[in-house]
Amino acid sequence: MSASETIRRPSRHRTFDSDRLLTAACVGLPLLGLILFFAYPMLIVFLRSITVDEGYGMGNYVQVLGSSGFWRATRHSLAMGGATTLLSVFLGFIIAQGLYRCAFPGKWLIRAVIVLPLLAPSLVQALGLIFLLGRNGVISRALGVEIEIYGFWGLLIANTLYALPQAVMIIGAALVLLDARTYEAADVMGASPWRQFRDLTLPSARFGILNAGFVCFIITITDFGNAAVIGGDYSVLATEIYSQVVGQRNFNMGAVVGIMLLLPTVIAYAIERQAMKRQQAGQTTGQVAYRPVFAPLRDLGMAGLSLLICAAIVAVIGIVVYASFVTLWPYNMSLSFKHYDITLAGGYSSLWMTILISLGAAVGGTIAVFLLGLGLRRLPQALAQPVQILAAMPAAVPGMVLGLAYILTFNSTATPLYLLYGSAALIGIVNFYHYHTQGFLTVMTGFRQLPPALEEAAGSLGAGLGRTARDVVAPFIAPMLVSVFFFLFMRSMVTLSAVVFLTTPQLSVAAVTIMRLDDAGLTSQAAAFSTCVMAVVCGAVLAMKMILALMQRRRG
């Protein structure tokens, strides 16, 4: 044996050991986070729901199930979820059909407008409807009628606008995959446009439509912001949880309602996952992209409907921005900045704190999902699959239930985790795990696109896992990592349901401040604060687009 071989062998052994250690750390640390900050809090919620006096039992469930208020909130939630789903999927299909199956100019404008509800806290839609259709709303005063906007109809409109972007994106993703050759064959056979739509488009897009329906249902049934602002006496399960925990300090009953809210959400999420799998299974390789040819009757009609829907979105969000500059709504419509002089509810301190929390959640979250994805690639499938299932589970848990789980878990002195309670770090953590699934799946998509030959080449040159991750993997999936970072930042900026239980008089976040300003009757100041939040999120969107464009330019 030569001296050089004697030297090289321990080096390979050390590299092998260090790679195993790094793989264990990449999987172990994020997995520990999932257990401590997701699985354990959810277990605590379940245990608190069956806690009766000093023992366990079903007494809390018996009490809740025997309450007329619970069943009223359940009926309202299911009715609102069903109505919003039908309306948002119908409107979303119109816009998606216009964007991907029709030919008309100005599609960029529709794409820009349709994402606006995602850039604002959910309660902004409710605020906009109040300024438009409320007792002193623009439309109400112009028509000289008093519109009862609080309750079912106002909440339906607000929830539909909030869920609409999700419906458009999901249905659009299904429509864009339809093979143009199928339609060419239908044209040759003399099939009319209506028959092509009925026999080709609808059947091919059915799983996308079904998927969009369940996503919209989950969003609606778990939303708290719109229901808190414009729901009025129309109680839903999310506001029932808030009432039990904040209003009555009845944590056990709040846990029961949380578990009950979790059930329809988990069922809907499971069905939505199956629909997504079937849609992906139906995809074929080598598809030819469909390029629509201008048909005046079809395209002008779809363009008009799409622009009309977008006009409603612009009106609801735009009126919030406009009202923030009105001196005294609706009596003195001159413009001023007086409502931006906010001193109640801590002033702008909560905005700056939200930015810091969102940055922390985005940085830490992006690193965590990257390490987890990197480690899972090197685990046997039998070990990787349970971790992947756990990593995807947070999407099935409503933000309201996760926030309740955190207050029940971290507000107890029985655990060292109590040190986190009332801290900005805990709010950042709940924001990350609230949206963990979306970030994790995005990164895993990037890993699946990584050619194995790149890693093999790096390994053959002697690079270990750490150097391969730094020099090969991270640069390749950098666009995905940038997207995950900004996604986590923007969602952390606008989320309400997951953090409403975790704020304190000394520590608040922007969405909660908006709610408090509205509760105090300072609706114009709530509009001003909302405008500031939307400005920050819009700035983040522009920064993301610039960074991604720069990365694409350097690559190609």
Side-chain angles (χ1 to χ4, degrees), residues 290-314:
Y290 179 82
R291 297 184 182 278
V293 178
F294 180 69
L297 183 61
R298 178 198 66 187
D299 295 348
L300 293 179
M302 294 300 293
L305 289 173
S306 299
L307 291 173
L308 186 62
I309 298 168
C310 289
I313 296 175
V314 172

Side-chain angles (χ1 to χ4, degrees), residues 411-436:
N411 195 24
S412 171
T413 55
T415 170
L417 297 174
Y418 173 76
L419 296 175
L420 288 171
Y421 185 73
S423 68
L426 188 62
I427 295 179
I429 290 169
V430 75
N431 282 338
F432 166 53
Y433 284 103
H434 185 198
Y435 299 105
H436 180 278

Side-chain angles (χ1 to χ4, degrees), residues 314-441:
V314 172
V316 168
I317 295 180
I319 197 67
V320 173
V321 177
Y322 173 69
S324 70
F325 294 102
V326 172
T327 301
L328 182 61
W329 186 280
Y331 307 107
N332 183 356
M333 302 298 282
S334 60
L335 303 182
S336 73
F337 288 93
K338 62 172 292 187
H339 299 301
Y340 286 85
D341 183 18
I342 300 173
T343 57
L344 192 69
Y348 285 103
S349 61
S350 64
L351 178 61
W352 304 120
M353 179 57 66
T354 305
I355 293 174
L356 292 176
I357 290 172
S358 301
L359 286 172
V363 172
T366 304
I367 293 173
V369 294
F370 173 72
L371 292 178
L372 183 58
L374 183 68
L376 288 176
R377 285 174 63 84
R378 282 146 177 91
L379 284 185
Q381 186 63 22
L383 295 177
Q385 190 162 4
V387 179
Q388 290 175 336
I389 292 173
L390 179 61
M393 286 177 64
V397 178
M400 201 79 180
V401 177
L402 189 60
L404 174 63
Y406 271 51
I407 194 174
L408 295 177
T409 303
F410 299 102
N411 195 24
S412 171
T413 55
T415 170
L417 297 174
Y418 173 76
L419 296 175
L420 288 171
Y421 185 73
S423 68
L426 188 62
I427 295 179
I429 290 169
V430 75
N431 282 338
F432 166 53
Y433 284 103
H434 185 198
Y435 299 105
H436 180 278
T437 302
Q438 294 89 331
F440 172 72
L441 294 179

